[in-house]
């Protein structure tokens, strides 16, 4: 292995270890790693920017959604929904848990799961304290549902979108072929809720009339905002297939963000400066840095060598590869953040398919816009499910987990690695088994 390959592999591994053990903020670790590759002459700065630009759709989609969501915060719609969840529960712990599932699931189907947790999780501790319930299990449940519901649509989870975009799966294709798997993931959480959260499940709480009831601000603005969100959702579905000129989800999200900024500015519910200031720039910078780190592995030939090894192990056995991927990627994703994992795995799988003769070299081109043979798609489906659901296993498995832990700490309770593990391992195990059965029955047989 040449020096540049050793540097690229060492830097990537080092960044992952630093993130796993939380020695540095994940964005700082990834950015420093990317810059080391530039200063060590593994790649030039223009090449690094080129690797970032290859994944422009992912960055554009999540920037657009972040702006869209933040623009409507002054309406207090999310606080209102959280209180309705408590009121509908009518003092029943069982209904409260089901209410968290009911509110989190549809939001996470259209918003990235970490963004949803950022919005909803801060509302849980005050409400839980008012009704005398421990909020830590509620936050952990919200994370499980958010990560699982991210599989309902192509845009619900960053890892899902990265994989889907790399093989040109449209929003509608995803709904037809994979949304059922997302439904099963959410249902599996609901099925084991009575056992994992038995104390709250059996709880009856009182004094609901003493809890402050937030009201919606700026209802007319919210109504117009609802039309903008509806427009975005409709064009997510029809944009790439039903229009003469295809409009990808990323472009739709950016237009939705622009309209939301226009609405906020014209109605003066907030300033454009405040909205853009509150965008999660840290996550976007983390994405960019990870794309550069994976670019280093590609440029130095490490991805090619690993793909050849995969070809030797699996041969042309797609079914075996898909089942193995669900569990291997799932277990890895429980200790390695799923975004860098899938960014690394996508080129690895593509090169494997080239090596065993399923596809031509053209799939490795950055501007490849064709379709892969249907018989190889289960590999990518398996990676989506393994990476997303494996994130439920440990505290560091997904960004939404870390967000919830930070919010819990702000409210005086630390969610330890061990505490999360007690809930996460059973959920991950059940979901990976369910996903393996789903992929086998619906996509392999």
């Amino acid at each position: 292995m040449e020096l540049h390959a050793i540097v690229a592999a060492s830097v990537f591994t080092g960044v992952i270890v630093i993130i796993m053990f939380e020695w540095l903020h994940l964005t700082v670790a990834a950015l420093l790693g990317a810059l080391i590759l530039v200063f060590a002459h593994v790649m030039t700065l223009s090449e690094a920017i080129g690797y970032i630009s290859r994944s422009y759709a992912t960055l554009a989609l999540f920037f657009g959604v972040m702006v869209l969501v933040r623009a409507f915060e002054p309406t207090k719609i999310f606080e209102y929904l959280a209180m309705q969840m408590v009121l509908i529960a009518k003092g029943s712990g069982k209904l409260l848990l089901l209410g968290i599932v009911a509110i989190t699931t549809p939001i996470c189907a259209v918003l990235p799961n970490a963004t949803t947790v950022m919005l909803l999780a801060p509302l849980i501790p005050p409400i839980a304290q008012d009704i005398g319930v421990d909020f830590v299990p509620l936050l952990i449940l919200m994370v499980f549902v958010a990560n699982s519901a991210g599989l309902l649509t192509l845009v619900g989870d960053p890892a899902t979108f990265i994989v889907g975009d790399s093989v040109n799966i449209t929003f509608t294709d995803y709904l037809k072929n994979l949304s059922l798997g997302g439904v099963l993931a959410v249902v599996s959480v609901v099925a084991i809720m009575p056992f994992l959260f038995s104390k709250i499940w059996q709880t009856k709480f009182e004094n609901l009339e003493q809890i402050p009831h937030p009201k919606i601000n700026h209802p007319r603005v919210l109504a117009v905002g609802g039309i903008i969100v509806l427009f975005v959702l409709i064009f997510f579905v029809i944009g790439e297939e039903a229009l003469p000129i295809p409009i990808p989800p990323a472009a739709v999200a950016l237009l939705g963000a622009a309209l939301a900024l226009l609405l906020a500015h014209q109605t003066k519910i907030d300033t454009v400066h405040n909205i853009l200031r509150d965008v999660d720039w840290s996550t976007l910078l983390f994405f960019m840095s990870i794309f550069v780190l994976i670019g280093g592995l590609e440029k130095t030939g490490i991805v090619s060598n690993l793909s050849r090894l995969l070809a030797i192990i699996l041969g042309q056995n797609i079914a075996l590869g898909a089942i193995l991927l669900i569990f291997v990627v799932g277990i890895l994703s429980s200790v390695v953040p799923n975004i860098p994992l899938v960014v690394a795995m996508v080129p690895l799988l593509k090169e494997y398919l080239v090596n065993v003769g399923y596809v031509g070299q053209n799939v490795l081109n950055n501007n490849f816009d064709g379709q892969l043979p249907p018989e190889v798609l289960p590999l990518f489906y398996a990676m989506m499910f393994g990476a997303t659901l494996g994130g439920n296993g440990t505290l560091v498995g997904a960004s939404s987990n870390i967000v919830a832990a930070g919010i819990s700490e702000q409210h005086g309770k630390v969610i330890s690695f061990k505490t999360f593990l007690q809930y996460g391992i059973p959920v991950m195990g059940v979901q990976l088994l369910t996903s393996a059965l789903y992929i086998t029955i619906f996509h392999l047989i």
Side-chain angles (χ1 to χ4, degrees):
M1 187 182 290
E2 64 175 24
L3 180 59
H4 281 173
I6 293 172
V7 172
S10 300
V11 170
F12 179 78
T13 304
V15 168
I16 294 300
V17 170
I18 288 170
I19 292 173
M20 281 174 56
F21 290 98
E22 300 180 49
W23 292 335
L24 282 177
H25 189 283
L26 76 171
T27 302
V28 175
L31 180 59
L32 285 175
L35 290 172
I36 287 172
L37 296 186
V38 174
F39 280 88
H41 299 292
V42 173
M43 66 177 70
T44 64
L45 183 59
S46 62
E47 286 175 327
I49 293 172
Y51 285 118
I52 294 171
S53 67
R54 280 167 45 178
S55 300
Y56 72 90
T58 301
L59 298 171
L61 174 74
F62 291 108
F63 171 76
V65 170
M66 287 174 185
V67 172
L68 184 62
V69 169
R70 171 58 184 83
F72 298 119
E73 270 191 18
T75 65
K76 303 293 183 184
I77 179 62
F78 299 106
E79 289 90 336
Y80 177 80
L81 290 175
M83 179 49 60
Q84 293 308 303
M85 173 183 69
V86 174
L87 295 177
I88 291 171
K90 296 180 179 178
S92 166
K94 178 196 307 184
L95 293 178
L96 177 63
L97 294 175
L98 292 172
I100 290 176
V101 176
I103 285 185
T104 307
T105 298
I107 295 176
C108 275
V110 293
L111 299 182
N113 44 23
T115 303
T116 302
V117 172
M118 287 178 196
L119 288 170
L120 296 182
L123 312 177
I124 295 294
I127 292 174
Q129 289 168 346
D130 285 339
I131 60 178
V133 175
D134 183 8
F135 63 76
V136 168
L138 299 181
L139 288 176
I140 292 175
L141 172 63
M142 177 174 287
V143 164
F144 291 157
V145 176
N147 292 339
S148 305
L151 286 167
L152 289 170
T153 69
L154 182 64
V155 300
D157 184 270
T160 302
F161 183 78
I162 289 168
V163 178
D165 184 61
S166 71
V167 292
N168 301 316
I169 296 174
T170 67
F171 193 91
T172 307
D173 288 338
Y174 190 98
L175 290 178
K176 292 176 182 176
N177 298 323
L178 292 166
S179 289
L180 176 59
V183 172
L184 293 175
V186 175
V187 169
S188 64
V189 174
V190 175
I192 59 178
M193 251 182 358
F195 309 100
L196 276 184
F197 306 98
S198 57
K199 186 175 179 180
I200 296 178
W201 186 267
Q202 299 167 5
T203 297
K204 297 288 183 181
F205 42 84
E206 301 174 348
N207 303 322
L208 295 182
E209 66 280 353
Q210 298 177 10
I211 302 175
H213 294 188
K215 294 183 179 180
I216 291 176
N217 296 334
H218 315 291
R220 292 182 180 177
V221 175
L222 183 61
V224 177
I227 295 173
I228 293 174
V229 171
L230 182 63
F231 158 82
V232 169
L233 294 179
I234 290 173
F235 277 83
F236 273 165
V237 175
I238 69 171
E240 290 188 285
E241 295 185 351
L243 299 178
I245 301 176
I247 304 176
V252 175
L254 288 174
L255 180 56
L259 293 174
L261 286 173
L262 175 65
L263 179 64
H265 175 71
Q266 292 298 110
T267 58
K268 302 189 187 312
I269 64 169
D270 209 339
T271 66
V272 172
H273 172 78
N274 286 343
I275 294 170
L276 294 179
R277 180 196 62 198
D278 292 340
V279 167
D280 187 5
W281 295 108
S282 174
T283 296
L284 294 174
L285 188 57
F286 172 70
F287 280 164
M288 295 179 201
S289 302
I290 287 297
F291 295 144
V292 174
L293 290 171
I294 301 305
L297 299 181
E298 287 186 52
K299 184 182 177 185
T300 56
I302 293 173
V303 169
S304 296
N305 292 332
L306 289 174
S307 68
R308 294 189 192 101
L309 178 62
L310 196 61
I312 294 171
I313 295 171
L314 296 179
Q316 292 188 323
N317 195 332
I318 297 296
L320 175 62
I323 298 303
L324 284 177
L325 272 176
I326 288 177
F327 292 101
V328 172
V329 172
I331 292 169
L332 284 174
S333 185
S334 69
V335 292
V336 177
N338 56 12
I339 293 167
L341 183 63
V342 298
V343 172
M345 288 293 296
V346 165
L348 178 64
L349 280 185
K350 284 186 174 182
E351 289 219 20
Y352 155 72
L353 292 173
V354 171
N355 289 336
V356 296
Y358 270 111
V359 296
Q361 287 281 346
N362 62 322
V363 303
L364 302 179
N365 295 336
N366 298 337
N367 57 355
F368 173 70
D369 58 0
Q371 299 294 318
L372 295 182
E375 61 268 24
V376 306
L377 289 177
L379 288 173
F380 295 91
Y381 299 163
M383 183 162 56
M384 288 178 181
F385 281 81
T388 302
L389 300 178
N392 281 333
T394 71
L395 186 61
V396 298
S399 54
S400 52
N401 306 7
I402 298 169
V403 169
I407 291 167
S408 180
E409 190 170 354
Q410 289 172 5
H411 288 83
K413 289 192 176 184
V414 175
I415 301 178
S416 68
F417 192 91
K418 181 180 177 182
T419 298
F420 195 98
L421 202 66
Q422 292 171 346
Y423 294 96
I425 291 298
V427 170
M428 182 183 76
V430 169
Q431 290 188 316
L432 292 181
L433 285 170
T434 303
S435 298
L437 288 172
Y438 165 73
I439 294 289
T440 301
I441 294 171
F442 288 90
H443 298 289
L444 292 175
I445 295 178

